[in-house]
Structure formats: C-alpha cells, structure tokens
Amino acid sequence: MVGAGHRPLAEAVFHMTSQPVKIAPWLDAKQIEQTIENTRLPQQRKDPWKYTSVKQVLQRLDSPFEKTDQLPNHNGSGVLVGDFGTPMISSLARKYVNQIANNSNNVLPSLNLLRAQHGYAIVSNESNDSVRPAVQIPASDSCERILIVVQEQANLEIMEHTSGGNRVIECLILPGGQLVHRRIQPTTTHVEYNSLTVNVMENSSYQMMQYSVGAQLRRNDIVINIEGEGATVDVSGGWKLSDISHLDTQLAVNHRAKGSTSQQKFHGVVGDSARAVFNGRIYIARNAPKTDAHLQNKNIATSDGAAIFTKPELEIYADDVVCSHGATSGQLDEQQIFYLRTRGIPDDRSRELILEGFLAEIVEHEEGASVLGIQPRKVDAP
Amino acid sequence: MPIRGFRPLSLYFHSVFNNKIYNNNARNYMSNNIAHTPEELIRKEYTAGFVTDIETETLPPGLSEEVVREISRKKAEPEWLTEWRLDALRRWEKMEEPTWAHVKFPPIDYQAISYFAAPKGDKPKSLDEIDPELLRTYEKLGIPLHEQKVLAGVDEEPSQPRVAVDAVFDSVSITTTFKETLKEHGVVFCSFSEAVQSRPDLIKKYLGSVVPKQDNFYAALNSAVFSDGSFVYVPKGVRCPMELSTYFRINAENTGQFERTLIIADEGSYVSYLEGCTAPMRDENQLHAAVVELIALDDAQIKYSTVQNWYPGDENGVGGIYNFVTKRGTCRGARSHISWTQVETGSAITWKYPSVILRGDDSIGEFYSVALTNNRQQADTGTKMTHIGRNTKSTIISKGISAGHSSNAYRGLVRMNPGARNARNYTQCDSLLIGSECAAHTFPYIESRRQDAIVEHEATTTRVSDDQLFMCRQRGIEPEKAVSMIVNGFCRDIFRELPMEFAVEASKLLEVSLEGAVG
Amino acid sequence: MSLLEVSDLHVKVADREILNGVNLEVNPGEIHAIMGPNGSGKSTLTNTIAGQEGYIVETGDLRLNRTNLLELEPEERSYAGLFLAFQYPVEIPGVTNMEFLKTAVDSHRKQRGDTALSSVEFIKNMRALVTKLDFNPEFLKRGVNESFSGGEKKRNEILQMLCLDPKVALLDETDSGLDIDALQVVAKGINEFRNSNNAVVLVTHYQRLLNHVVPDYVHVLLNGTIVKSGDASLALDLERKGYAWLEQDTGP
C-alpha cells in the first residue's frame, strides 16, 4: 500500500538526483528510483520509526558525505577484499548487491545505493578451521555499501567499527559456512544509520555481537533470514547510554526453513536523558517447523530522565516450535546493593559493580568490554 | 458429543502419505474411522445462532447528520447530547480506519449499515408486556429475565448470589431486572437511554471522559450513533449486593450494534459486572462497535468480566461479527482497582484492548484474558496499562489459543510515565497452537520513562504436544478429553478470576469452540 | 497362560530398524528386568508396546491377555491393563494431578461399565494411597509434573500406577536419576503393587533398583534383540563386567 499521505516527508528531505550509481555502475539508477517510488515510505512516529526520527536519518543521507576509499585490513590467505569491479568479486557483486537487502518494507538500502561513496566486498574461501580469516571493517562517516560472502564450508571473522556514517551491509553465508561478526559502536555526535541483512543457508552459522555507546542518533536495522535447514543464529549485545544519546536497534530473525535455532540476548544500561529503543522480532514461517527461537532483552535505567522502549515480538505460523521471549525494564536491585555495602563496598562502587556484572553477561570480547567500559569476564583464569 | 475420526492432524497426514505402511497405530488401518479431509476434523457448533422472528423498526442503511439526529430524537435526548453526537460524526468523517492490527478484511461500506434497529412498539414497562418471542429468545440463550432465576440455572439454593440483568436486543435495552432491589442500596442500574433521562448530571459529567469521542475511528463512530447500553452508578461506600450483567444480542440483519456502557464506582464502592454476547448465524458480516467506560474513584473497585461469543462465522470464514470495541477504565482515585477479565471465543474479527489508566496513587489495574480462535477467525486483542500515579501496579495475563486456520495476536502497551514513582507491571503472555495452519503473534510495547519503575514481560509459545496427548492416552484418557483438559489447564489462571457461574460457562464454551479443532 | 507376549517384534523409527526380532513372555506374578546399554532399543520396546506414534511395527505380534495390542489405540491399551511409567514424564501445566488422575480413573471405570467415583470418595482413596507411600499430599494439588523435581516425577508415575492398578506395568528407567531415598520409595511402591495376578517389567541401566525389587528374570537387550536371559544373578554379572563381553558373543 502506498499511502500518498506520507510521501511528502521523504521528498521534502531526500532529493532524487538521477545520477548513475557510482559504486555499482551496472545497476540502473532510474530503476532503483522507481522502486523507491513504489515502496512504502517510512512514517514518523509509526512502527518501525515510532521512537526515532526518520526525518533526521533521511536528512543526513541527503547531505554530502566524505569521500573515502579505505579498504579493510585482513590477515592473509583465503579471503578476498576489493571494490565491486575487482576480478573474482565482480560476478558476486553483480549477483548479490541490491539483492540481499532488497526489502519491500525498508527503502533505506535503496537510498543508500544512490548516495554511496564507497563499495566493496569481502569474500572468504577459507575452510581450514585453524586459520579463520579476520577482517577489520574500519569506522567511517561516509556512505558505504558492503557485500560479505562466506563460501560453502568457509570461515570468517569480522570486526566492524561504525562511526556516524550510512552503511548498508549485505551478507550471505553459504551452506556450512561460519561467520563471527563483532560490531563496535563508539561515541559519535553524528546521525548514524546501519542496515545489515544476512541470509543464512543450510547448516551454516552466524554469530553476531554488537556493543554500543552514545550517539546523537544511531539506528541499527538488522534482518537475519534463515533460508536453510539446521542453521544457527546467535545475536547478542549491549548498550550503555548517557547524556542525550539515542540508540535504536531493530532486529528481526526470520525463520524460513525447518529445524533452525536462534538466540537473541541484549542487555542495556540507560542513564541521564538517553533513550534506548529495542525491537526484537522472531518470525517463524509455516514451512519452518522444529524451530527453536528465544529472545531476551533486559534494561536498567540509572536516572529518571532515561527512557526505555522495548518490544519483543513473536509472529508464528508453524505449530511445532519452541519459542519464548522476555523483556524487562527496571532499576538496580537495592537488595543487591545493600548486600555489597554490608560487605564494606561503598554505595557508588556497589552500583558500578552490579552494572558491570549485568553488562558482562553479554560481553565475550575485550574490545566490546572496553567500549562499554567494563572488564571482560575472565573465562579461563589460570 | 460424538467423537468421529479423532486423531492428531499430523497423524492424519502421516496416514495419507504412508497408508501402505503397517503403522503401530490402530486407526491407520481401520480406514472406516478416518476423517477424509482436514476440514472434517475442524468442525464447530454455534448454539446461539438462531434468529428471533419479531417485527423490528429499522432505520434505512446509511450514515448522515440526519440519521444521527433521528437516533437522538427517538431517544428524546437533550440538545447537548445531540450536539455531542454530531461533533463525533464530524470528527469521524475526517478519520481513517486503523490499519495497524494484524487482521485482514474487505473494506466496510459504512453507508450500507443500518444504525438503528429495535423491536416495534413502546418499551415494555414490565415483563408481562415483553413480546413472548423475545422472552423465548433469552430463555433459549439461558439468560434469566425473571428475577427469581439466575445465570446458569443454579438458583435452587437461596444463598446463591443473584444476578441482575440488562438485556440489550439490537439497538435497545428491553428490560433490566432487580432494579428495585438495587435501588434500595442506592445502586443505579438501567439502560443508558434511561440514565440520560434520570441521571443527566452523571452522564454529562462522565460520558466521553475516559474514551474521548475522537479517541479512535470506531469510538468516534460509536459516539455518533450509539443506541443503548448499560449504565451503573454505585454510590459512596456501597458494596453492590449482586452481580450486574448485560446480555447483548444482535438479531436484525445488516445492522450494526453500537452500545455504550458507563460504570461509575464512587468512593469506597465495589461492583462486579458481567457481559455476555451472541448473534444469529448469518452469511454477512455484522459490525459491533461498542464503547465501555469505567470510572473508579478513591478506594473503589470495579471487576468487569466478559464472555464474548458473538457468531464467529462458518468454517470457511463466511459471516460473523466484526467486534471493534473500545474498552477503557480510569483508576481516578487513590487505591482504586479495575480488573478486566475476558473469555473470547466468538467474532470473525476481534479488535479490542480493554485498558486501564492508573491515575490515582496506589491504584491497581488488571487484565486477564483467554482468547480462542478457530476456523478462519482473527483476533488482535490485548491491553494498555498507562501508569501515571505513584506506586501503581498492573498485571497482565493473556492466554491465546489458536486452532484451525485462525490468527490470534496479543498486542499490549505498558507505559510508565515520568511521575509513576515505584510503578510495577508484570506481564505474562502465552500462546498455545493446535494444528499447523494457525498463527500466533505477540506485540508487546514497553515504554518506561521512570527509573524506579519495574516492567517484566514474559511470553511463550507452545503446542499441545504429541507427548502430552500420548501420556494422557496411555492413562486411558480419550484424545478429545485430553485436549480439552490441557487447554483448560492452560487457561486456569484466568478462569480463577471469573465469577463462579461464568467460569463454568466459559470452560464449557471453550470445549464447544474447540470441538473437532484438534484432529 | 502368559500375560504379556512379545513375538518376533521388528520396529522401525524414522526409517531405521531399532528392534529386530524381540521375544518376551511375561506370566502373572513375575517380575522381569530388561537391561542394556544406551541405544540398545529399551525405550523403543516400551513405547511400541504402549502405542506411541512414529514407532512402526514391520512384523511381529504383541498381545496382552491374548488381546492383540497392535489393533488398539493407546487409551484402549490402557483399558486392556497396560501401564507405562515414562522415562521422561510429561508436564501438563495448569492441570492438577488430582484432576488428571480422576479423569484417568473415571475413564477406566466408564470403560468397565462402572459409574464414576464421587470426588469425595476419590479424594479419600488418593489420600490413603499417598499416605501409604509417604508422599506429600500437596503433590496432588500441583500441576501434572509441573516444576516437579526428577524424583517427584518418578514417584508420580508410581502413584499413577497404583491408582490405575494395571495387569502389566512397564517401568522405563524409573530408577534413573533418583537419590537413595526416592529409590526406596519407588521400590516400596512396586512391591506394594505386585501380586500373583499382575506382572512388572523393569527397564533399567543399573543393578541398584534390583537390590530392592528382585526380578525373576533378567534379559539383556543389545542392538535390538534379547541376547541373553537369566535369573537375578545375571544383573550382578552385568554390573561387574559391563556389556562388552555379550557384544563379542553375538558379534556380526
């Protein structure tokens, strides 16, 4: 349904240019613009933009971006990194760019394509378990398009930093492939938008961790499509927000094949006048029986100005499934604080300790811990 | 209840594809017992589906200022109320139907609906004057209009609690029982139209005070054309001596029912109110857009229970009631308490969110719900708890059961406003799936702007498992009985909240609604 | 005349042959123990006898008191006098134990043409049974196996067995995961139950239950067939030597 009522918003803040797609010249810009015309445009204060200003995101996208051509660092063989014209990559790019993130419910990846300054692909062929290739996606405040392909049985580890840009990632994990994706989101004063779409094929696995702190406005759209039997998806993360920062994470795990499992687990601490928005969705299609899917979101507010908006959604069309979700919002447990104080730990330190413990539950990586300002849990202490 | 071809659906398909295999299951080679299509397994009987043959006065279809004025004129309403309705109509004309609910239906032609239907003649002054055909209708439905009878026929012992009934037939209330007894306690229980005449002070003060006329599309429509409904006022410090109940019946064809209920519990009072609804089986969809407003002042308690059994349509989704209802209560006073309990088995489409605005400090809001959908029914139902006052508490327990090809969604909002010091909410939201063609959804919105507010939400989705069925059968319990036992167990927390007579009725209703749903 | 007769039973689960020719004859008054390592087909045997869906009998015969069980639905097998104590008792949230047991007992009575027991009578009977077995009466008010500990679940199975008074009771690893106190309660229940007209088949991993309930026969199930039968001393041998020596005996 294209409601005429909400079209002017996008048109007022985003101007079509009808210039060719810079990073992927084989794509027809006219056709993309046509798609945008025919797509339902986001509406302010309506799901999925109920609590975040889509106007600011569109305005940012319409303003000039820095040019960059920095390619990610990587650690050696079995992995290929290059722009979409690179031999060995161009055929994959032609096949998948604008295909994986081609979502009729979200027009932003198409808009990104029209403005992208930089585009590249990361392809892993490495199937040796002991030499998992590691790639660093650097922070950038540009408008970027990234394609990630994990070939059959291959491994890949991604460490991604985001910082105030507009980044759309399309990712495909072919059968038996494994991807570990860590995303670090440090402080930025920009309006940041990230879109991530992952298609997970049979018996492959996708593990993602996302750690975020403040931004003027940061929106993460994550869609994970389980398209093959026996795939596993594990997404976790946390945020610690202060000042007037605004973080919105919209995460959908779509089970479209039978016998797959997914976990979503997010913990957040929100202080000062910050706002945290979380929408976690589990969708189970009729053809996806024997699915096991769970979602958990816990929030602690540390000030009265803090606002928490969370919605754990289930949409289930198959009966032979095990599904649960839970969400909480509250403050520090006074009993716990009292307990620590009776042991001689001052009030402030007690609060810090408990918050650290709360976040440590979802942190498994040093850099994730340091961005959230906590000590990582020592799993194998000597 | 005959049990024919009763087997798990999965087994049914199993036997279709594997009929050559000598399976370790008796029915698979006793072919005369096999249901031949899945449709045969999903049957449902609707016992309230008859039509009362009675002369009705109906306004021609269509909605305009003139129609609104005509309804107001028929009820001899004061000028201010006519204007109130017209204002609602003007606002409604500018509004769009909400599209966010997880339901699908063809567009409704609001000009094809008749907005008023009533049995011919003046309102009867006593039971003797009521058309015997109408009396028979309520008798058939098991609703007592004679004062010595009570619900579910358990009136043998005089110690049993009595129930006062307001019977609404299409657009008008035909009688209200026990009015005199209630009057002795100062309780006003009468039709809405009557209250407009007898208690204009209260109507003027509270009408639209909880659900403003422009609140939403259907509430605005109701505000323009509402015809009748129930009115309750319980004075200060009075504990209402009996259960009050309204029984809504849609009978006329192509008619919408737009009733309006207003309950005011003054300081320190208590009232328990029950609501039941049925409609004939017809091939056309009929619209029911009611508004219910509850007001609880300091220390008052209102318990509102609904057993909703509007005609749900046939197994192909033909016919049935569109139940688009706005129900909301305000805990206006300190320590006031409002609880909604609902058992929903009817309607083709349900769009309903009984809510509580927790304004008074230390007030309590509760929502207990069982929503069962079968065949092609669609339900999008839940609640809103808006915490404004300090130390306010709310509890939400929702049990959704989906069978057949139905779709059942819970949609809820828990909002903790900045002033809601130490507010608490606990939400539990469970779905049970029966068969592989149905759908269950959960959309809980949580909005917290208060550090010391605690919100907890838990949800699960499960099915009646083959293991549970097998264990029951191993102990000698027949499958149909086993499923009904499992479903009743799933709903136990809610039935505990219903007044006793209704709990029995609700439990039976689930059984009938589930008949044949589990293969 | 034998009470339970299993002849040349071949069973497939998900297209894999799990049982290939099991024979077993159980007479009134007897206690049989079926032992075997994980995956030998013990649970397949008990589930097949009880009529669980998905266990496909390719050939063979199953009779209880001469009635062909293969023609019966699970509840009809129950009426015929068969009881299975589940290895993993199933939870039924919200349905109280009492309600569940009464529904089961009433169904059995109806089948026999008896009238249903009044609630008062039933509760009286249950109280007596519960006391005899040293169960906490609170047990009856809780949801069927809902948040029961492992031991409580197993005791609940024994309670149901005594309540339904079957002719043949199959106990599938009822002893596993029990502490010594719970084990004794279970053993007490079994000894309480047995008489010269009924029979018990214990399926177990370990010898320890057999110290409290002495079997007349011990059978070893290995790779889907019974490879050895003997008296109670066989169980002690197995405890000492494991199963490997038998495997060699029957090797391919």
Side-chain angles (χ1 to χ4, degrees):
Chain A
M1 196 170 22
V2 183
H6 42 266
R7 184 155 291 279
L9 165 70
E11 279 170 6
V13 292
F14 187 89
H15 304 85
M16 299 288 185
T17 52
S18 296
Q19 283 168 7
V21 179
K22 189 177 153 193
I23 56 157
W26 71 90
L27 290 171
D28 180 355
K30 284 263 173 327
Q31 209 178 337
I32 294 168
E33 284 177 14
Q34 195 55 50
T35 313
I36 294 166
E37 290 289 325
N38 296 334
T39 307
R40 187 192 178 115
L41 294 174
Q43 282 180 273
Q44 291 271 57
R45 285 182 291 279
K46 294 265 165 71
D47 279 323
W49 292 92
K50 200 170 161 71
Y51 306 105
T52 299
S53 165
V54 66
K55 194 172 159 194
Q56 285 189 48
V57 172
L58 290 172
Q59 273 168 343
R60 169 75 179 118
L61 192 54
D62 202 39
S63 61
F65 282 97
E66 292 215 358
K67 296 205 182 351
T68 169
D69 50 13
Q70 195 192 351
L71 284 173
N73 293 323
H74 63 93
N75 70 342
S77 68
V79 66
L80 207 62
V81 176
D83 61 37
F84 295 148
T86 314
M88 321 275 290
I89 285 179
S90 68
S91 65
L92 287 171
R94 280 167 186 266
K95 199 164 163 192
Y96 297 121
V97 171
N98 202 29
Q99 292 303 311
I100 294 169
N102 200 343
N103 182 341
S104 59
N105 291 317
N106 188 359
V107 76
L108 285 151
S110 299
L111 296 176
N112 161 282
L113 214 46
L114 295 179
R115 293 296 156 86
Q117 299 292 329
H118 190 32
Y120 56 86
I122 301 166
V123 181
S124 171
N125 297 302
E126 184 57 65
S127 57
N128 185 341
D129 252 333
S130 53
V131 283
R132 175 178 282 176
V135 177
Q136 300 261 354
I137 298 179
S140 135
D141 55 5
S142 182
C143 183
E144 293 176 311
R145 187 70 162 212
I146 302 171
L147 172 68
I148 300 171
V149 178
V150 179
Q151 300 282 20
E152 285 193 30
Q153 306 298 333
N155 293 309
L156 182 62
E157 230 176 276
I158 299 268
M159 172 62 84
E160 181 195 359
H161 289 81
T162 71
S163 163
N166 183 296
R167 178 181 284 163
V168 174
I169 298 181
E170 293 176 278
C171 176
L172 176 67
I173 309 173
L174 288 162
Q178 292 182 23
L179 175 59
V180 177
H181 179 183
R182 296 188 179 86
R183 176 184 268 181
I184 309 289
Q185 307 195 297
T187 308
T188 165
T189 50
H190 283 130
V191 171
E192 177 179 316
Y193 176 76
N194 298 294
S195 154
L196 167 68
T197 308
V198 187
N199 286 358
V200 185
M201 308 312 287
E202 71 231 44
N203 297 319
S204 62
S205 85
Y206 178 61
Q207 196 187 352
M208 194 224 183
M209 284 74 62
Q210 175 176 288
Y211 309 111
S212 324
V213 289
Q216 184 201 328
L217 184 160
R218 175 177 273 139
R219 164 78 168 215
N220 297 311
D221 284 341
I222 303 172
V223 177
I224 299 168
N225 300 308
I226 297 177
E227 308 281 3
E229 256 184 82
T232 56
V233 168
D234 188 337
V235 193
S236 61
W239 51 83
K240 188 155 111 185
L241 306 179
S242 53
D243 297 329
I244 52 159
S245 50
H246 181 111
L247 173 72
D248 184 345
T249 300
Q250 304 274 322
L251 169 57
V253 176
N254 301 319
H255 288 262
R256 299 214 177 95
K258 70 175 185 183
S260 57
T261 61
S262 73
Q263 290 274 354
Q264 302 177 42
K265 187 176 179 182
F266 283 83
H267 284 190
V269 174
V270 188
D272 299 336
S273 296
R275 282 173 154 230
V277 183
F278 179 78
N279 194 118
R281 181 165 179 265
I282 297 171
Y283 169 92
I284 301 176
R286 183 141 292 149
N287 62 356
K290 308 273 177 214
T291 292
D292 188 306
H294 303 276
L295 180 157
Q296 188 68 245
N297 172 228
K298 292 184 181 175
N299 293 282
I300 293 179
T302 57
S303 82
D304 268 337
I308 292 158
F309 306 101
T310 175
K311 174 152 69 86
E313 280 183 53
L314 295 173
E315 199 173 337
I316 296 169
Y317 296 91
D319 74 330
D320 190 6
V321 298
V322 180
C323 243
S324 72
H325 72 204
T328 60
S329 157
Q331 63 177 346
L332 284 169
D333 184 343
E334 291 299 329
Q335 280 297 320
Q336 289 179 351
I337 294 166
F338 178 70
Y339 182 79
L340 294 186
R341 292 175 72 185
T342 63
R343 299 297 178 261
I345 303 167
D347 185 74
D348 280 7
R349 186 62 199 133
S350 299
R351 288 171 195 277
E352 276 170 29
L353 266 179
I354 295 165
L355 287 178
E356 278 181 22
F358 175 69
L359 289 173
E361 280 185 58
I362 44 87
V363 170
E364 50 72 72
H365 189 262
E366 224 168 292
E367 202 173 344
S370 84
V371 77
L372 294 176
I374 62 167
Q375 299 291 318
R377 284 210 161 158
K378 302 249 177 338
V379 188
D380 0 66
Chain B
M1 237 179 278
I3 300 168
R4 252 178 298 130
F6 189 97
R7 307 165 324 114
L9 270 183
S10 55
L11 195 59
Y12 170 79
F13 291 112
H14 189 86
S15 69
V16 167
F17 297 119
N18 302 293
N19 52 4
K20 296 250 162 56
I21 297 174
Y22 179 55
N23 193 327
N24 182 26
N25 188 293
R27 293 284 187 260
N28 282 19
Y29 55 85
M30 295 164 74
S31 61
N32 54 338
N33 273 322
I34 290 177
H36 293 283
T37 62
E39 283 68 34
E40 269 184 61
L41 294 165
I42 298 168
R43 287 166 293 120
K44 179 166 170 176
E45 253 172 60
Y46 186 73
T47 52
F50 59 90
V51 178
T52 306
D53 186 14
I54 190 165
E55 260 197 279
T56 324
E57 186 195 350
T58 311
L59 280 182
L63 182 52
S64 62
E65 255 192 57
E66 203 29 58
V67 167
V68 171
R69 282 184 194 282
E70 182 59 28
I71 294 170
S72 194
R73 197 175 309 133
K74 274 180 189 299
K75 301 189 165 288
E77 286 174 353
E79 178 67 22
W80 73 265
L81 191 49
T82 313
E83 284 308 315
W84 194 86
R85 287 173 178 274
L86 289 171
D87 183 41
L89 178 71
R90 280 176 219 123
R91 289 165 184 267
W92 175 77
E93 281 166 345
K94 292 196 195 85
M95 294 169 93
E96 276 181 41
E97 267 178 295
T99 53
W100 42 260
H102 206 284
V103 294
K104 280 194 198 114
F105 56 93
I108 298 171
D109 181 357
Y110 290 91
Q111 296 304 334
I113 298 170
S114 165
Y115 289 86
F116 188 86
K120 266 203 172 137
D122 291 335
K123 177 161 180 176
K125 298 211 169 39
S126 74
L127 271 190
D128 307 333
E129 287 180 25
I130 297 180
D131 187 318
E133 196 58 39
L134 276 182
L135 285 180
R136 266 195 294 279
T137 299
Y138 285 89
E139 215 166 279
K140 253 166 127 175
L141 295 168
I143 304 304
L145 294 187
H146 291 279
E147 297 195 352
Q148 65 272 27
K149 293 257 178 91
V150 298
L151 266 179
V154 282
D155 56 330
E156 307 311 321
E157 290 169 49
S159 64
Q160 284 286 348
R162 289 170 304 174
V163 179
V165 178
D166 182 23
V168 177
F169 192 85
D170 288 331
S171 301
V172 295
S173 162
I174 53 164
T175 187
T176 310
T177 63
F178 289 105
K179 255 201 267 192
E180 290 309 311
T181 320
L182 289 167
K183 212 171 170 181
E184 285 164 28
H185 291 83
V187 175
V188 183
F189 180 41
C190 62
S191 74
F192 200 91
S193 314
E194 219 175 308
V196 169
Q197 308 301 332
S198 65
R199 297 304 300 266
D201 53 324
L202 292 172
I203 298 284
K204 203 166 179 176
K205 184 168 175 191
Y206 290 110
L207 177 69
S209 70
V210 185
V211 180
K213 48 182 175 284
Q214 72 280 11
D215 188 80
N216 67 68
F217 184 82
Y218 303 113
L221 178 63
N222 173 288
S223 301
V225 301
F226 73 88
S227 39
D228 216 334
S230 301
F231 175 84
V232 178
Y233 172 75
V234 190
K236 275 185 195 172
V238 170
R239 197 181 162 87
C240 187
M242 61 180 81
E243 305 270 352
L244 305 184
S245 132
T246 302
Y247 194 88
F248 296 102
R249 174 79 180 166
I250 296 180
N251 188 65
E253 229 169 322
N254 298 324
T255 307
Q257 193 177 44
F258 305 93
E259 83 275 1
R260 187 112 198 164
T261 298
L262 178 57
I263 299 178
I264 303 147
D266 213 327
E267 290 170 22
S269 67
Y270 167 88
V271 61
S272 168
Y273 180 92
L274 322 170
E275 173 196 74
C277 6
T278 57
M281 292 155 79
R282 295 193 191 279
D283 287 346
E284 302 81 37
N285 296 109
Q286 278 178 288
L287 180 61
H288 172 253
V291 171
V292 176
E293 296 178 279
L294 311 182
I295 295 121
L297 301 180
D298 286 358
D299 299 293
Q301 184 178 357
I302 302 174
K303 204 171 150 59
Y304 193 108
S305 313
T306 306
V307 174
Q308 187 264 108
N309 187 24
W310 293 118
Y311 177 54
D314 70 6
E315 68 274 14
N316 299 315
V318 176
I321 300 291
Y322 289 171
N323 192 33
F324 301 156
V325 174
T326 307
K327 290 182 166 178
R328 194 175 303 154
T330 287
C331 282
R332 194 162 293 185
R335 297 166 301 281
S336 55
H337 184 166
I338 290 179
S339 58
W340 298 100
T341 305
Q342 58 172 32
V343 176
E344 305 264 320
T345 59
S347 299
I349 298 175
T350 303
W351 181 98
K352 179 178 162 186
Y353 316 91
S355 307
V356 184
I357 299 166
L358 296 136
R359 193 175 291 279
D361 290 348
D362 302 290
S363 59
I364 297 172
E366 289 167 325
F367 175 76
Y368 303 105
S369 168
V370 167
L372 183 148
T373 54
N374 195 359
N375 296 322
R376 305 273 170 181
Q377 281 176 275
Q378 306 174 57
D380 192 295
T381 183
T383 185
K384 279 197 282 188
M385 293 288 175
T386 308
H387 292 252
I388 299 170
R390 297 171 175 192
N391 303 316
T392 47
K393 287 191 179 62
S394 64
T395 304
I396 299 170
I397 298 181
S398 161
K399 306 276 181 177
I401 302 147
S402 337
H405 289 80
S406 70
S407 158
N408 200 328
Y410 167 83
R411 185 182 304 275
L413 168 65
V414 175
R415 176 180 286 152
M416 299 297 186
N417 277 18
R421 189 161 88 194
N422 282 321
R424 299 274 179 280
N425 163 267
Y426 174 74
T427 302
Q428 188 191 329
C429 189
D430 298 324
S431 306
L432 188 69
L433 293 149
I434 302 173
S436 57
E437 302 295 318
C438 53
H441 313 304
T442 317
F443 307 106
Y445 292 76
I446 297 167
E447 303 183 358
S448 178
R449 289 189 172 82
R450 178 81 206 178
Q451 177 189 189
D452 53 13
I454 297 179
V455 184
E456 282 175 90
H457 173 99
E458 287 173 33
T460 61
T461 300
T462 47
R463 67 200 289 238
V464 173
S465 75
D466 289 346
D467 288 348
Q468 285 176 328
L469 263 175
F470 179 64
M471 188 174 85
C472 290
R473 296 177 76 183
Q474 209 300 305
R475 301 299 185 250
I477 301 167
E478 283 160 351
E480 184 142 300
K481 193 169 234 168
V483 168
S484 134
M485 196 168 81
I486 292 165
V487 169
N488 262 293
F490 177 74
C491 302
R492 174 136 304 159
D493 298 347
I494 309 299
F495 289 164
R496 213 176 275 146
E497 297 298 323
L498 283 173
M500 217 260 284
E501 299 87 342
F502 261 40
V504 175
E505 192 179 308
S507 176
K508 275 192 207 139
L509 197 56
L510 278 194
E511 222 161 278
V512 173
S513 299
L514 269 174
E515 203 163 286
V518 186
Chain C
M1 183 204 76
S2 64
L3 210 45
L4 177 69
E5 224 181 312
V6 181
S7 336
D8 194 31
L9 193 65
H10 286 73
V11 176
K12 263 190 177 174
V13 180
D15 276 341
R16 258 187 65 217
E17 181 145 310
I18 307 290
L19 297 183
N20 36 45
V22 173
N23 291 291
L24 183 67
E25 197 181 326
V26 180
N27 294 303
E30 292 177 353
I31 294 186
H32 290 240
I34 297 177
M35 303 183 74
N38 278 335
S40 58
K42 301 191 299 293
S43 287
T44 299
L45 179 61
T46 55
N47 280 324
T48 304
I49 296 173
Q52 172 75 287
E53 193 188 329
Y55 291 79
I56 293 163
V57 176
E58 303 217 282
T59 54
D61 204 16
L62 258 184
R63 280 171 197 277
L64 195 148
N65 249 350
R66 293 213 189 113
T67 309
N68 182 0
L69 289 183
L70 291 175
E71 283 176 5
L72 302 183
E73 291 288 346
E75 61 272 26
E76 292 163 340
R77 298 182 195 206
S78 175
Y79 304 144
L82 182 78
F83 180 88
L84 170 64
F86 287 71
Q87 182 180 3
Y88 303 108
V90 180
E91 293 184 17
I92 310 179
V95 176
T96 66
N97 233 347
M98 186 73 98
E99 186 183 354
F100 175 71
L101 283 168
K102 185 163 190 318
T103 311
V105 169
D106 286 349
S107 300
H108 276 258
R109 292 181 67 92
K110 192 173 146 203
Q111 217 32 241
R112 292 198 298 264
D114 293 343
T115 51
L117 285 177
S118 77
S119 296
V120 179
E121 230 175 317
F122 181 76
I123 291 169
K124 217 174 75 196
N125 293 350
M126 288 310 298
R127 288 255 163 80
L129 206 52
V130 162
T131 319
K132 199 153 48 171
L133 288 170
D134 298 328
F135 289 174
N136 181 350
E138 278 302 304
F139 214 65
L140 295 170
K141 292 187 199 156
R142 289 163 56 187
V144 178
N145 295 322
E146 202 183 351
S147 58
F148 279 25
S149 71
E152 285 175 329
K153 284 184 181 172
K154 296 299 174 76
R155 286 194 209 187
N156 201 18
E157 295 292 289
I158 297 298
L159 179 69
Q160 290 175 28
M161 175 180 79
L162 288 165
C163 199
L164 294 174
D165 194 22
K167 294 207 174 60
V168 174
L170 306 175
L171 278 64
D172 192 357
E173 309 227 359
T174 302
D175 54 337
S176 61
L178 295 186
D179 61 31
I180 187 68
D181 291 339
L183 189 74
Q184 274 169 1
V185 173
V186 165
K188 187 176 167 191
I190 297 170
N191 289 323
E192 180 77 35
F193 165 73
R194 66 174 302 198
N195 61 39
S196 58
N197 295 317
N198 62 25
V200 177
V201 179
L202 303 167
V203 174
T204 180
H205 248 24
Y206 308 105
Q207 141 75 18
R208 56 182 203 147
L209 176 65
L210 307 182
N211 291 333
H212 302 276
V213 183
V214 182
D216 301 301
Y217 299 95
V218 174
H219 310 278
V220 181
L221 189 63
L222 213 58
N223 302 325
T225 52
I226 288 177
V227 294
K228 197 169 178 67
S229 297
D231 61 13
S233 67
L234 178 55
L236 294 167
D237 286 347
L238 291 170
E239 184 85 350
R240 231 181 26 249
K241 297 202 261 178
Y243 294 100
W245 59 288
L246 288 163
E247 210 138 7
Q248 282 153 15
D249 278 5
T250 58

